[in-house]
Amino acid sequence: MTEREELEGGIAALEAQRAVLGDAVVDTALAALRARLARVDSPAPQLRPVTILFADVVGSTSVSQQLDPEDIQAVMDGALRRFTSLVESRRGRVLQYAGDSLLAVFGFLEAREDDPERAVRAGLDILDEANRLEQQVRERYGRRDFNVRIGVHTGPVLLGGGVDADGSIRGIAVNIAARLEQAGPVGRLRISYTTYRHVRGLFDVSEEPPLSVKGIPDPVRSYIVLGAKPGTFDGSTRGPDGAETPLIGRDAELAKLIAAFETVRAQRTSSVVTLVGDAGLGKTRLMLEFERWLAARHETVARFHGRAPAYGTQVPYGLMRALFSRRFEILDDDTQAVAHAKLTKGLGTCVGDRGEHIALIGQLIGLDYGANPHISGIADDGVQLRNRAFHAVGEYFRLFHAQNGAPIVVLLDDLHWADDDSLDLFDHISQACRDVPMLLLCLTRSELLERRPSWTGNRSPRERLDLGPLSEQSSRELVESLLRRLASIPDALRDVVVSNADGNPFFIEELVAMLIDNGVIATDGAGWDVATDRLVDVLIPSTLAGVLQSRLDALSAAEKTALQRASVIGYVFWDEPLERMAPGATRSGSRSRFQRLRRRARVRIQAPPVASGDLRRRAQGREASAASPGRTVAGRQERRTVRGARRTHRGALRARGRHGERSDVLA
Ligand SMILES: Nc1ncnc2c1ncn2[C@@H]1O[C@H](COP(=O)(O)OP(=O)(O)OP(=O)(O)O)[C@@H](O)[C@H]1O
Ligand SMILES: [Mg+2]
């Protein structure tokens, strides 16, 4: 864990204890932690995709006119302090205060895929808090006009640098967030369409009339967030609005999943199949298709779903909790009594009156059974608690099968975010249920295997399936399917999507959605139309940029620098010029760095090499361009270096008599 993560974790933990410790203690401790956080963070100026939140206390002018200066200070400072805490407890960062408003950013130093979701949740928290404060102001001062307006937008900004380096943030995205806030109704949270696309399916929203923003040609589509949907386990939905596409190009992979299930069923044994693939390649989609296949069978199959919460590696048994919560419909905001009742009812049919098992499982997944007599005696003995709870969970699945007779399929998604304890537990379940027809289908990005190489180890019954990019043919089919409402699809349009998406269906969907948003494809009529003349500059859409940035942020500093340097050379690069750009770097050092990047699928070796001795590599262009130093201020220096590197490179090629091959490599 980095120092910053530790500090952020500490701030969030303190916030959670506010009710117990009281404001005075928490605020004092927080001030010290925030000061340290500010010292840890001195970001180099860079362009980053972030989510921006503006909150403004409205009616404060009349409050100011009516109250004593001391009271005003108490009300306003108290409110902004509370809002800041709420932002921080969702891992956002307040960068600026101006008068009665604040500006916060999610994804400040490290982008996470759920930045927009956390920003919207923080906005809703602030609205709730404002309601409470309004009531207090009314009770204490007899004034009513205290409320907030909030705007949230997702987009690229330039962070750091300038005279006010610490809190500096620039870019049109900031203006959009500010405008959304200023134009929003009092007591409401207004978000842009871009943010909405990230959080679709998680919140109830109502669409607002488009908003014109100075400096932007087209009006900004926006939504009012009415509240969070309950039981939002499945996360946001992907894909362009209302464009359901058939599953394309995955027949072989689907057949393998079906075969794994048939084996488990016929041999009455457990098996763990792990599907490994990059973000957006279609793991979840393949799982859904497999589920459809299961559902269409005559024989009943018991299905359990667990999806690791985003960045849930720090939450012990978070994945197991997600699985039982989904199965027994336990909601995050259920009271303890309600959650206990749901767990008892859910498990009860399989563990009968074994109160001990219920308490052990409940305690394990964080439902606090500390006062239960089965737990209180062993609460201090972590090992015993864990062993007994593991046994109880294994027993639950065994008894479940004994009662129902149906094969069991456990579907575990986003395992790269799973906590180690849950992974141990699922290991245990697969062993304890060796004689139960049970398929554990796990979906993960390759990060999991770096953290836990043994997960797909050779020992039976474990199988690893790799999901690669779609073929060019399948990519074309997907584009055609998404654009089926166009009378005819111009080749240039199809090719621009296919060549930019690198066989990744998520990228294909996002690029199509962006073409629609940019007006290249007009969707208002019954049939769609193409404005080919607008098909000039295809920029990376923000949903995609967020995914890419978070993957880049997960790299070590040395790996990031290596990728940045490589991207300066271009989409295809050689290790030799890279070494020249980094004086002091050894060949073996840079090799091993790229070996790691290769394992993490950030870099591919392109075969065959142009000449023996040269490692010809191809950085995944989408990531390289998201990281491109050309887009950072630090990049200026890199660009100077690259001119030298390109010269060196040309020299090297000439020396080997391959001058003519240069252009296709460097282009
Ligand atoms: N073979 C396919 N045919 C058509 N659409 C697909 C296919 N594979 C994926 N998609 C679509 O692409 C989008 C991304 O797929 P999905 O969410 O399954 O990716 P993922 O691998 O689970 O990514 P992550 O690691 O981020 O969870 C989805 O909207 C999905 O419906
Ligand atoms: Mg997925």
Side-chain angles (χ1 to χ4, degrees), residues 238 278-285 287 307 413-414 416-417 443-445:
R238 282 178 166 174
D278 269 357
L281 279 182
K283 302 178 292 297
T284 305
R285 176 64 191 265
M287 181 186 83
R307 182 178 183 196
D413 201 354
D414 289 335
H416 43 276
W417 286 325
L443 314 185
T444 184
R445 301 179 190 167

Side-chain angles (χ1 to χ4, degrees), residues 272-275 287 304-308 319-320 323 409-416 418 422-423 426 439-444 455:
V272 182
V273 173
T274 306
L275 186 65
M287 181 186 83
F304 289 80
H305 301 81
R307 182 178 183 196
L319 174 59
M320 196 67 215
L323 182 137
V409 174
V410 180
L411 302 152
L412 301 176
D413 201 354
D414 289 335
L415 225 61
H416 43 276
S422 291
L423 294 175
F426 282 107
L439 174 66
L440 284 110
L441 174 58
C442 309
L443 314 185
T444 184
W455 183 258

Side-chain angles (χ1 to χ4, degrees), residues 170-491:
R170 295 181 175 81
I172 194 76
V174 182
N175 303 6
I176 296 177
R179 180 86 176 94
L180 285 164
E181 177 266 299
Q182 287 151 12
V186 173
R188 288 303 181 99
L189 162 61
R190 188 165 180 167
I191 66 175
S192 67
Y193 174 71
T194 322
T195 303
Y196 166 73
R197 277 191 47 77
H198 289 268
V199 300
R200 210 172 57 198
L202 295 175
F203 301 95
D204 290 316
V205 297
S206 70
E207 185 158 5
E208 290 285 289
L211 197 67
S212 57
V213 179
K214 216 165 131 192
I216 299 186
D218 297 322
V220 174
R221 283 169 70 185
S222 72
Y223 299 79
I224 297 285
V225 179
L226 304 171
K229 283 188 198 279
T232 50
F233 168 85
D234 279 323
S236 57
T237 44
R238 282 178 166 174
D241 285 320
E244 166 99 0
T245 52
L247 181 76
I248 290 168
R250 296 294 192 205
D251 292 350
E253 290 82 355
L254 186 58
K256 283 186 186 160
L257 298 185
I258 292 172
F261 171 76
E262 295 290 11
T263 308
V264 155
R265 198 179 65 92
Q267 298 182 355
R268 307 190 65 74
T269 172
S270 68
S271 172
V272 182
V273 173
T274 306
L275 186 65
V276 185
D278 269 357
L281 279 182
K283 302 178 292 297
T284 305
R285 176 64 191 265
L286 192 56
M287 181 186 83
L288 292 175
E289 298 290 334
F290 174 56
E291 276 203 85
R292 272 187 204 165
W293 178 85
L294 286 174
R297 296 175 78 252
H298 294 305
E299 184 194 29
T300 316
V301 177
R303 278 175 279 153
F304 289 80
H305 301 81
R307 182 178 183 196
Y311 303 92
T313 46
Q314 322 276 339
V315 186
Y317 302 103
L319 174 59
M320 196 67 215
R321 181 185 174 119
L323 182 137
F324 280 126
S325 299
R326 159 113 175 207
R327 180 90 192 164
F328 307 139
E329 296 176 7
I330 300 171
L331 304 178
D332 280 349
D333 48 8
D334 277 345
T335 61
Q336 186 172 309
V338 172
H340 283 197
K342 288 181 178 175
L343 185 73
T344 304
K345 184 160 172 264
L347 291 174
T349 54
C350 290
V351 296
D353 55 359
R354 284 175 230 213
E356 184 184 358
H357 280 192
I358 296 171
L360 284 164
I361 295 175
Q363 179 74 7
L364 193 75
I365 62 172
L367 292 184
D368 194 3
Y369 278 77
N372 184 291
H374 295 295
I375 303 297
S376 52
I378 54 168
D380 293 336
D381 186 348
V383 177
Q384 198 187 151
L385 196 63
R386 179 178 160 115
N387 289 344
R388 288 169 70 170
F390 272 38
H391 174 74
V393 178
E395 277 299 289
Y396 165 72
F397 281 104
R398 296 182 63 79
L399 286 167
F400 182 92
H401 175 64
Q403 262 183 24
N404 295 272
I408 299 175
V409 174
V410 180
L411 302 152
L412 301 176
D413 201 354
D414 289 335
L415 225 61
H416 43 276
W417 286 325
D419 59 283
D420 281 324
D421 293 308
S422 291
L423 294 175
D424 292 345
L425 178 51
F426 282 107
D427 255 339
H428 169 84
I429 295 169
S430 72
Q431 293 300 317
C433 297
R434 266 190 307 251
D435 53 349
V436 174
M438 179 184 213
L439 174 66
L440 284 110
L441 174 58
C442 309
L443 314 185
T444 184
R445 301 179 190 167
S446 58
E447 289 95 292
L448 172 76
L449 306 179
E450 280 173 29
R451 179 156 63 96
R452 205 170 166 119
S454 63
W455 183 258
T456 52
N458 289 331
R459 78 206 145 93
S460 166
R462 290 196 170 241
E463 195 183 339
R464 166 178 174 163
L465 293 179
D466 286 286
L467 199 62
L470 290 181
S471 67
E472 195 163 327
Q473 174 60 28
S474 296
S475 301
R476 282 209 200 108
E477 268 179 53
L478 182 52
V479 176
E480 279 160 14
S481 166
L482 289 166
L483 294 178
R484 60 189 176 277
R485 288 172 66 187
L486 279 177
S488 82
I489 303 168
D491 287 352

Side-chain angles (χ1 to χ4, degrees), residues 28-160:
T28 314
L30 280 183
L33 288 181
R34 278 187 200 132
R36 273 182 60 196
L37 197 58
R39 280 198 299 278
V40 170
D41 292 339
S42 51
Q46 55 182 312
L47 195 64
R48 297 182 60 87
V50 297
T51 297
I52 306 148
L53 178 150
F54 262 102
D56 191 11
V57 180
V58 283
S60 59
T61 328
S62 65
V63 168
S64 318
Q65 281 162 1
Q66 294 164 22
L67 300 183
D68 292 341
E70 271 176 24
D71 292 337
I72 298 167
Q73 198 179 358
V75 171
M76 295 313 300
D77 286 2
L80 291 178
R81 233 192 338 262
R82 289 292 302 126
F83 299 163
T84 302
S85 293
L86 292 170
V87 165
E88 287 172 351
S89 61
R90 300 269 180 197
R91 293 185 182 257
R93 179 73 66 88
V94 174
L95 289 189
Q96 293 173 5
Y97 298 95
D100 305 332
S101 68
L102 65 76
L103 181 169
V105 165
F106 293 75
F108 177 60
L109 284 184
E110 189 183 327
R112 296 185 177 180
E113 282 167 56
D114 61 345
D115 284 337
E117 177 188 339
R118 280 181 290 107
V120 174
R121 291 197 192 278
L124 291 174
D125 292 345
I126 292 176
L127 289 183
D128 280 350
E129 184 64 20
N131 276 338
R132 267 191 294 277
L133 291 172
E134 199 260 335
Q135 212 167 334
Q136 280 176 15
V137 170
R138 193 158 18 119
E139 278 163 15
R140 193 172 302 171
Y141 306 107
R143 308 279 172 227
R144 293 192 60 102
D145 53 354
F146 175 92
N147 218 321
V148 289
R149 256 185 342 225
I150 301 171
V152 172
H153 174 62
T154 304
V157 295
L158 182 68
L159 288 171

Side-chain angles (χ1 to χ4, degrees), residues 487-597:
S488 82
I489 303 168
D491 287 352
L493 178 75
R494 194 189 54 197
D495 292 349
V496 88
V497 177
V498 171
S499 62
N500 276 286
D502 235 1
N504 185 310
F506 174 54
F507 294 0
I508 292 178
E509 287 182 344
E510 287 304 313
L511 287 163
V512 167
M514 185 205 64
L515 292 171
I516 294 173
D517 291 349
N518 290 357
V520 176
I521 300 169
T523 57
D524 357 342
W528 292 1
D529 264 330
V530 189
T532 327
D533 52 320
R534 296 190 72 165
L535 188 64
V536 265
D537 247 351
V538 177
L539 294 172
I540 296 183
S542 86
T543 28
L544 219 151
V547 171
L548 300 180
Q549 188 67 51
S550 66
R551 297 181 64 200
L552 289 168
D553 287 343
L555 298 175
S556 72
E559 288 166 345
K560 249 187 260 181
T561 312
L563 258 197
Q564 281 196 334
R565 293 211 163 101
S567 74
V568 175
I569 297 178
Y571 197 64
V572 177
F573 58 93
W574 286 257
D575 47 3
E576 200 178 293
L578 275 181
E579 282 150 26
R580 288 170 198 254
M581 283 163 69
T586 62
R587 192 178 185 94
S588 65
S590 85
R591 279 233 165 123
S592 71
R593 238 186 327 274
F594 278 102
Q595 225 94 58
R596 274 201 304 278
L597 285 166

